[in-house]
């Protein structure tokens, strides 16, 4: 209704455009690779009309991989949007504040102790992510919760969890055999069976988060104002962080410790759709994150063909400098008096 | 309306105020005065339901069993420190309607009309489509005032609404406060500027020494000399063409 006045043309078309981008990148991801395929071949393979080598490649290698990219990208980006908003900290992201590492540790543990229970992995990852965010939050509130403190606490917590992952892998070298590149994050050799349970966890969490988007808008006004408007701010903050943990955990459970999508994607889409509406921001970052990770994965497997990089490496190459740029901008902002 | 009855306010293990009884009265402006740290903000926050009372009670129409949401439909609170999220003024003001939303959180025609009324009342219509971080302090204050107005409450609590504003904006805020009272709302505001408060308020509550020291009209409180004692200043008064004015100066030695 009148609300549309607020959104300019740019924000109105941004979400469909991001959706189109995600679809396009997914198609490209199905076509490109060691054996390039035409869109026609891909479609007939998807429709089940073929059974040749091309169909095998599409159905058992590229489709799970593409779905994994879309899902992990969307989940991590949505988690990043929630975390940055709820903590009021533009430097925060699932990989920065220890959520990913926590999820990774529990995934590794679960895979080591109950190798047959693939479907339990996203739930284990969720618990680990919850542990990570809880720990960082506790440290943050103890020490006054400045933006930098939170990031530093995240570094320390991530370090501990990473050591835990290494320890698990030392005792159970085969625990993460199904994963190529768990430590940097990768989606090569994914099987649909591992993506599916994570998909349901992420989908549920995303829709719950979207249903709380109106509350999230009010929460972003600051705790005082939010509570004076009748919002149970503290409870809502915990619920939203738990949903972010579920989202990030589901991605980690099949793709490993993918960094930086959760940091980059929210910042990128914020410029496109503004920050007026958390619902719009969540949609945009989920679609944008899906597209971003898929594009990165396409790059990872075509740039140095026949060699493949894990997608996490490409992401870190992009994300590291981006994070530094954010840090520098923060510093400047603080000097001007409104960090 | 909103009433504090024998209220003790503060933080667990550290009471700031005890035994305070005062109320927002329809059509009247009540100013809370007192030295820094006397508990003006603490009292407002407790009355707004942001801090649990340490003793006594905060009543809405004589009742204490109301939910935060119900309270938000009756009482608006304007905190002193405000964030400037990157949203437009109109969007901010729209959030003032949040207490009236039921699930599924969609704002309707009434809400948008209330937003337009509030923007007009706060003289912020020309700011409506500007992003909050771009605004000056005075403009941001207007935006937040408009949000509180969009709540359409009978009582409005404001914590230092004139701080950091230049004199023109201070007077504009106080003029708006007057208009709100004339509409029949009860306004309670914490102010640090004695002279401004004594001219602008209908009633004055003086807080100090951990309690409510005086409550009454500005002239009565001026006569009682309580303010001079607790603030450590000499207060004078003059009658002029613009009405009664108050002046502060340092007390003479001896």
């Amino acid at each position: 209704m009148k609300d549309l006045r607020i959104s300019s043309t740019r924000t109105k078309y941004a979400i469909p455009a991001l959706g189109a981008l995600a679809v396009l990148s997914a198609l490209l991801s199905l076509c490109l690779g060691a054996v390039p395929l035409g869109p026609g071949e891909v479609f007939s393979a998807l429709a089940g009309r073929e059974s040749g080598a091309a169909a095998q490649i599409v159905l058992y290698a590229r489709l799970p991989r593409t779905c994994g990219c879309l899902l992990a990208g969307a989940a991590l980006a949505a988690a990043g949007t929630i975390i940055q908003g709820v903590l009021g900290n533009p430097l925060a992201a699932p990989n920065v504040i220890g959520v990913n590492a926590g999820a990774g540790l529990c995934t590794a543990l679960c895979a080591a102790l109950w190798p047959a229970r693939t479907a339990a992995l996203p739930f284990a990852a969720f618990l680990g992510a919850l542990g990570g965010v809880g720990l960082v939050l506790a440290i943050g509130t103890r020490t006054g919760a400045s933006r930098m403190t939170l990031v530093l606490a995240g570094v320390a917590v991530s370090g501990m969890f990473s050591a835990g992952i290494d320890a698990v892998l030392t005792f159970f070298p085969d625990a993460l055999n199904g994963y190529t590149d768990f430590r940097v994050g990768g989606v090569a050799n994914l099987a649909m069976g591992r993506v599916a349970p994570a998909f349901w966890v992420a989908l549920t969490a995303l829709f719950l988060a979207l249903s709380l988007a109106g509350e999230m808008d009010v929460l972003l006004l600051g705790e005082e104002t939010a509570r004076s408007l009748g919002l149970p701010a503290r409870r809502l903050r915990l619920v939203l962080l738990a949903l972010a943990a579920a989202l990030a955990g589901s991605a980690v459970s099949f793709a490993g410790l993918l960094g930086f999508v959760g940091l980059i994607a929210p910042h990128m889409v914020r410029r496109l759709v503004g920050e007026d509406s958390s619902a719009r921001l969540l949609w945009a970052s989920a679609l944008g994150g899906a597209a971003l990770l898929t594009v990165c994965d396409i790059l990872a497997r075509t740039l140095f063909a026949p060699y493949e990089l894990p997608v996490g490496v490409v992401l870190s190459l992009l994300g590291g400098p981006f994070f530094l740029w954010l840090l520098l901008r923060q510093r400047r902002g603080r000097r001007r008096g409104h960090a | 309306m909103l009433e504090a009855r024998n209220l003790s306010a503060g933080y667990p293990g550290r009471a700031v105020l005890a035994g305070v009884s005062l109320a927002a009265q329809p059509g009247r402006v009540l100013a809370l005065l007192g030295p820094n740290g006397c508990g003006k903000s603490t009292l407002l926050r407790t009355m707004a339901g942001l801090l649990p009372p340490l003793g006594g009670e905060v009543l809405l129409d004589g009742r204490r069993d109301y939910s935060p949401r119900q309270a938000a439909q009756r009482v608006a609170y304007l905190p002193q420190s405000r964030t400037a999220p990157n949203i437009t003024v109109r969007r901010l003001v729209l959030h003032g309607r949040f207490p009236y939303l039921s699930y599924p959180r969609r704002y309707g025609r009434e809400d948008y009309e209330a937003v337009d009324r509030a923007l007009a009342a706060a003289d912020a219509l020309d700011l409506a489509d500007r992003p909050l971080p771009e605004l000056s302090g005075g403009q941001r204050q207007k935006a937040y005032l408009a949000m509180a107005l969009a709540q359409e409450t009978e009582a409005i609590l404001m914590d230092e609404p004139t701080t950091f504003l230049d004199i023109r904006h201070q007077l504009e805020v106080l003029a708006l406060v007057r208009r709100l009272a004339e509409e029949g709302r009860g306004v309670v505001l914490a102010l640090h500027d004695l002279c401004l408060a004594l001219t602008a308020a209908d009633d004055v509550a003086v807080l100090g020494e951990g309690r409510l020291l005086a409550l009454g009209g500005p002239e009565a409180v001026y006569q009682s000399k309580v303010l001079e004692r607790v603030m450590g200043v000499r207060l004078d008064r003059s009658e002029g063409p613009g009405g009664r004015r108050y002046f502060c100066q340092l007390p003479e030695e001896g």
Side-chain angles (χ1 to χ4, degrees), chain A residues 5 211 215 221 224 227, chain B residues 45 50 83 90 103 105:
Chain A
R5 279 188 307 199
S211 75
E215 277 86 343
L221 302 179
E224 285 275 271
R227 287 182 57 213
Chain B
R45 288 165 45 91
L50 298 175
T83 53
R90 187 184 296 284
Y103 218 79
R105 314 289 185 217

Side-chain angles (χ1 to χ4, degrees), chain B residues 61-127:
Chain B
D61 290 333
R63 297 169 44 157
R64 58 185 296 178
D65 54 332
Y66 49 84
S67 68
R69 196 173 126 87
Q70 284 167 329
Q73 295 176 2
R74 313 282 306 276
V75 182
Y77 167 73
L78 205 60
Q80 188 181 0
S81 64
R82 291 172 287 271
T83 53
N86 189 13
I87 60 177
T88 59
V89 171
R90 187 184 296 284
R91 190 79 195 180
L92 174 78
V93 178
L94 192 57
H95 289 318
R97 303 298 298 167
F98 183 77
Y100 296 95
L101 284 190
S102 51
Y103 218 79
R105 314 289 185 217
R106 287 209 92 95
Y107 294 102
R109 178 175 298 279
E110 281 168 53
D111 298 310
Y112 290 106
E113 285 167 2
V115 167
D116 284 335
R117 278 197 302 276
L119 282 168
D123 189 26
L125 269 175
D126 54 326
L127 304 175

Side-chain angles (χ1 to χ4, degrees), chain A residues 105 108-113 115 162-177 183:
Chain A
L105 175 59
L109 264 179
C110 182
L113 299 177
S162 293
I165 297 175
D166 286 334
V168 171
L169 290 186
T170 311
F171 292 119
F172 302 90
D174 300 331
L176 295 173
N177 261 357
R183 309 242 19 177

Side-chain angles (χ1 to χ4, degrees), chain B residues 201-220:
Chain B
D202 300 304
D203 299 298
V204 173
V206 183
L207 302 173
E209 300 159 11
R211 60 205 173 88
L212 177 62
L213 293 171
L215 176 63
E219 184 56 25

Side-chain angles (χ1 to χ4, degrees), chain B:
Chain B
M1 202 171 268
L2 186 69
E3 185 189 350
R5 192 176 289 170
N6 199 19
L7 186 69
S8 297
Y11 304 87
R14 192 166 65 84
V16 180
L17 283 168
V20 176
S21 295
L22 50 77
Q25 310 275 1
R28 295 185 77 84
V29 178
L30 168 64
L32 305 181
L33 298 178
N36 287 339
C38 71
K40 298 185 291 263
S41 299
T42 313
L43 178 58
L44 281 180
R45 288 165 45 91
T46 310
M47 287 178 75
L50 298 175
L51 279 176
L54 295 180
E57 43 198 7
V58 178
L59 303 172
L60 254 181
D61 290 333
R63 297 169 44 157
R64 58 185 296 178
D65 54 332
Y66 49 84
S67 68
R69 196 173 126 87
Q70 284 167 329
Q73 295 176 2
R74 313 282 306 276
V75 182
Y77 167 73
L78 205 60
Q80 188 181 0
S81 64
R82 291 172 287 271
T83 53
N86 189 13
I87 60 177
T88 59
V89 171
R90 187 184 296 284
R91 190 79 195 180
L92 174 78
V93 178
L94 192 57
H95 289 318
R97 303 298 298 167
F98 183 77
Y100 296 95
L101 284 190
S102 51
Y103 218 79
R105 314 289 185 217
R106 287 209 92 95
Y107 294 102
R109 178 175 298 279
E110 281 168 53
D111 298 310
Y112 290 106
E113 285 167 2
V115 167
D116 284 335
R117 278 197 302 276
L119 282 168
D123 189 26
L125 269 175
D126 54 326
L127 304 175
D129 296 315
R130 304 262 308 271
L132 215 48
E134 273 180 18
L135 304 183
S136 71
Q139 293 172 323
R140 238 177 250 180
Q141 177 69 288
K142 278 183 184 172
Y144 267 88
L145 265 170
M147 181 178 80
L149 295 188
Q151 253 176 288
E152 302 198 320
T153 55
E154 307 131 69
I156 300 187
L157 313 176
M158 303 182 186
D159 196 356
E160 300 281 6
T162 57
T163 318
F164 304 129
L165 300 187
D166 55 42
I167 185 67
R168 156 112 198 164
H169 285 113
Q170 293 189 23
L171 293 174
E172 279 179 358
V173 166
L174 291 173
L176 172 63
V177 163
R178 178 50 58 199
R179 285 202 300 280
L180 296 177
E182 278 163 8
E183 286 170 13
R185 305 189 213 217
V187 185
V188 183
L189 60 172
L191 287 177
H192 67 282
D193 187 330
L194 290 190
C195 307
L196 213 53
L198 288 169
T199 16
D202 300 304
D203 299 298
V204 173
V206 183
L207 302 173
E209 300 159 11
R211 60 205 173 88
L212 177 62
L213 293 171
L215 176 63
E219 184 56 25
V221 169
Y222 165 74
Q223 302 279 4
S224 76
K225 306 277 183 195
V226 167
L227 264 178
E228 295 192 323
R229 178 164 60 81
V230 75
M231 304 295 289
V233 293
R234 205 180 105 201
L235 261 176
D236 285 305
R237 180 191 57 179
S238 79
E239 304 280 346
R244 201 170 269 155
R245 289 283 183 273
Y246 297 85
F247 305 93
C248 296
Q249 51 188 327
L250 281 174
E252 283 154 24
E253 295 302 321

Side-chain angles (χ1 to χ4, degrees), chain A residues 203-329:
Chain A
L203 195 71
T204 314
L206 185 61
F207 276 98
L208 285 175
L210 279 167
S211 75
L212 290 173
E215 277 86 343
M216 194 166 145
D217 284 337
V218 176
L219 188 67
L220 301 192
L221 302 179
E223 184 171 321
E224 285 275 271
T225 306
R227 287 182 57 213
S228 79
L229 290 170
L231 187 81
R234 286 171 198 165
R235 201 188 324 153
L236 183 68
R237 178 175 292 147
L238 292 181
V239 169
L240 284 170
L241 285 177
L243 291 175
L247 283 165
S250 71
V252 171
S253 76
F254 65 86
L257 303 179
L258 277 175
F260 295 120
V261 207
L263 183 78
I264 305 174
H267 282 287
M268 275 171 35
V269 300
R270 235 175 237 138
R271 308 207 149 200
L272 283 176
V273 303
E275 295 172 53
D276 265 1
S277 150
S278 297
R280 211 185 298 149
L281 200 54
L282 275 171
W283 276 113
S285 58
L287 293 170
L292 177 67
L293 190 58
T294 314
V295 169
C296 284
D297 185 51
I298 295 172
L299 290 178
R301 66 187 131 118
T302 51
L303 272 185
F304 301 104
Y307 298 103
E308 267 191 23
L309 289 172
V311 64
V313 170
V314 175
L315 265 179
S316 300
L317 282 176
L318 288 175
F322 184 83
F323 187 69
L324 288 175
W325 174 75
L326 273 181
L327 260 173
L328 292 172
R329 212 177 54 155

